Amino acid sequence: MMNDDSPDAFRNVSRKPGMQIWTINNMQLVPVPAQGFGNFFEGDCYIVLHITEKKGSGQSADIHYWIGNSSSQDEQGAAAIYVTQLDEYLGGSPVQHREVQGSESPRFRSYFKNGLIYKKGGVASGFRHVDTNAYNVLRLLHVKGRKHVAATEVEVSWNSFNNGDIFLLDMGKAIVQWNGPQSNRREKLKAVLLAQDIRDRERGGRAQIGVVEGGNEEDSPELMKVMMAVLGQRTGQLKDAIPDDKPDQVQNASVRLYHVFENSGNLVVQEVATQPLTQDLLHSSDCYIVDQRGSSVMVWKGKQASKEERREALNRAVGYIKAKNYPSSTTVEVMTEGGESAMFKHLFKSWRDKGQTQGLGSTYSLGKIAKVDQVKFDVMELHARPELAAQQRMVDDASGDVKVWRIENLELAEVNPSTYGQFYGGDCYLVLYTYQRSNQQQYILYMWQGRHATKDEITACAYQAVNVDNKYNGAPVQVRVVMGKEPRHFLAIFKGKLIIFEGGTGRPGVVNPDPGARLFQVRGTDELNTKATEVLARASSLNTNDVFLLKTDKTCYLWYGKGCSGDERVMGRAMSDVLSRQDKQVVMEDQEPAEFWVALGGKAPYASDKRLQREEPPHSPRLFECSNQTGQFRMTEVDDFAQSDLDEEDVMLLDTWEEIFFWVGNLANQQETKEAWNSAQEYLRTHPAGRDPDTPIIFVKQGYEPPTFTGWFNAWDPHKWSVSNSYEEMKKKLSDAASISQITVSPGGMGGGSYRAPGGPVSSPPLYRVHGGDLFTPSSPAGGTVSPSAGGSGMYLDPQLLINKSPSELPQGVDPSQREEYLSDADFENLLGTTRPDFQRLPKWRQNDLKKKAGLF
């Protein structure tokens, strides 16, 4: 037991990566066994500690305290005290989160990928450790949610059902999933995954699952018999679909920063600033509240703040919520200086972590991806290490094929290759880049929009991009490029010859008006990262850190600022040869001839702060599910994201700060897909950190993900999409594996007594079909080779009848591809070296590998 008085109350807390959960019982902390993770009693409070190993920078920890809807004030108070103590025990670095049943944060939900289960009652009403061999279960779970699933225990009765949701009738040995006629495929798939999780985690993999489509109940007569046996005959119509309690959170552009302190015993909350916030507003000696207009409240504790202030941070946040009349379910996060969450940093215009280099150079801070020098790439390494491709925003070394079209009279006109790299602000262009990866052709289609192009031309550019995309069967990754905001790879494909003219057109035969002297700013250190951009031909446009080209009627000046490097000068010289055939005159800063200043309209002050070029500091990538279903752009964050979070029906937004990716699943809503570009611009426009609205937007289709996208995901599987894990496939696997038929259920799903469900008949001992064989009760023999397992939980075969046997030598009724299903748990672990649930989580190729080694393939 852990209590408030005990100095070593947390002596059993593990500091290893992973999750630990405790519940509050009589004001004491009681550990929850791993099999019970994801189950939450509504009358209790829980503390969840999640520790993550970060690459190259130690660990990070999150402490969540979860409040059940019917928990007592005393329990809530005790949980808050334990959270503060646990935080201090772990050195004050964890981020603290307050979670309320039904309104949990994306991070909390990410720990329970298959969903949360809310159970009636609490510890006092009979909490028991989950026993994987116990089948003393009869309950009805009401499942809701598209991305984040939550299942609530409801009365075991037809009265609990409705037409829009999914219900799991859990009878211990068998689970029947009933899908409301108005539920969608994604909800059905999530419910199947939850049912499988219950089977594997709580029943040791030994429960059967059946699925009933509520709109076609006549297709599942045996399962309906089971349901009727438990629930009784259904009378009257089922209730209409219940709309979700609340829509997904709208991005809130309104952010306010408050300084929180005590004055003569009174809590003072003083407004400091509104968005966009900057990091220098936070002082180490103070505590602050960041309020996203009630959608979330975050508390930041400075390292030099008093111990009392730091201890009271969580209580002050809760007090602030009450004072503002915000809902009690408002999300609360408390963090210490240096341990800020990604969500917190995203509210700031810029954020620099301690130890991060200023400007160019390579650094890794807090395991986040920082700015890295542009180097000559080994293309094989980029393909082998997609995380490097993602960091560098480079799919390859830019050695692929390039084709450029200009929009002329709203149609595509091929551009002369001799002028590739020259882009005019009055035009729009399509650039198709082709490269090889794993011996397959890959495509990127860039849509470059000139600042002075007409609306019709910009529209035609998008329209023609669709035509090109269709020509290549939808394979190209589409990238919107706004003039002046070209992504790194775009620069690289023009090999140091990218020149952007402010206005005019590159159309043949069109004479652009003579602007007189023209000034170009050159930035870059090699041919992969250099471009020249036309700027106003005035002295005030100069910058001491860069190279400039000044082109006049008579000569071309190469101006070298004092802060530029030798590499930058070399690239400036190369660029001047592309821009002009005239003689070049090198001009060093502070040694300019009079004619130079005359061409620029006279000498004037310019940026002369000699320092390294400021780079955008790194931000952690964030993934969102996007929805326009209500007519308003809404997004749900997916924390601790993985490839498995990309559902085929989704439109997802991946924000890597420097670029925005839109990922579109093969079965995504067409309207959402059509509006994806607008949605991305809306996201940038409403971002609380005041983001650049011209940030490159990259459109990626399922199955055609470039390494610059996949590199942000841990362990990306390129074959995932070729192996179908759709709802229909999962349902077929369940029905192939075993059928639940003629099953009637006692309270435990086993023999030993009968049970009358509300309105239902008295049950008789259950009958089971094991592995597609004959029906029998657990006490009945089923032939000489089959014997009940020790726990009476199923019928299994002697391993010698299965190992290294041809299909014709196997006992009758055994599926040759599923031999492991006929082993007892002990034989299974002995032969395959892993437990049944762990085996089921392995990829198919790994399962087959283990089966071959065991002679079961």
Side-chain angles (χ1 to χ4, degrees), residues 520-522 545-549 558-561 564 568-569 572:
F520 296 84
Q521 183 175 26
V522 182
N545 300 297
D546 295 319
V547 175
F548 284 80
L549 303 176
L558 254 169
W559 184 86
Y560 294 147
C564 67
E568 288 171 319
R569 293 179 187 188

Side-chain angles (χ1 to χ4, degrees), residues 96-116:
Q96 300 170 37
H97 310 256
R98 177 176 175 270
E99 310 284 356
V100 177
Q101 180 183 338
S103 301
E104 294 86 357
S105 66
R107 173 158 290 258
F108 186 83
R109 289 177 178 272
S110 76
Y111 305 151
F112 310 99
K113 289 288 187 189
N114 291 315
L116 302 170

Side-chain angles (χ1 to χ4, degrees), residues 382-434:
L382 282 176
H383 290 171
R385 293 179 56 207
E387 70 277 9
L388 180 66
Q391 291 164 25
Q392 297 287 357
R393 273 80 177 179
M394 296 285 285
V395 296
D396 69 347
D397 59 358
S399 60
D401 296 326
V402 181
K403 188 163 189 182
V404 184
W405 296 272
R406 185 172 35 248
I407 302 296
E408 293 182 14
N409 301 320
L410 310 186
E411 297 294 333
L412 287 183
E414 288 191 24
V415 171
N416 187 330
S418 67
T419 63
Y420 277 9
Q422 297 175 29
F423 290 81
Y424 291 83
D427 290 330
C428 286
Y429 299 82
L430 286 185
V431 178
L432 181 67
Y433 180 77
T434 308

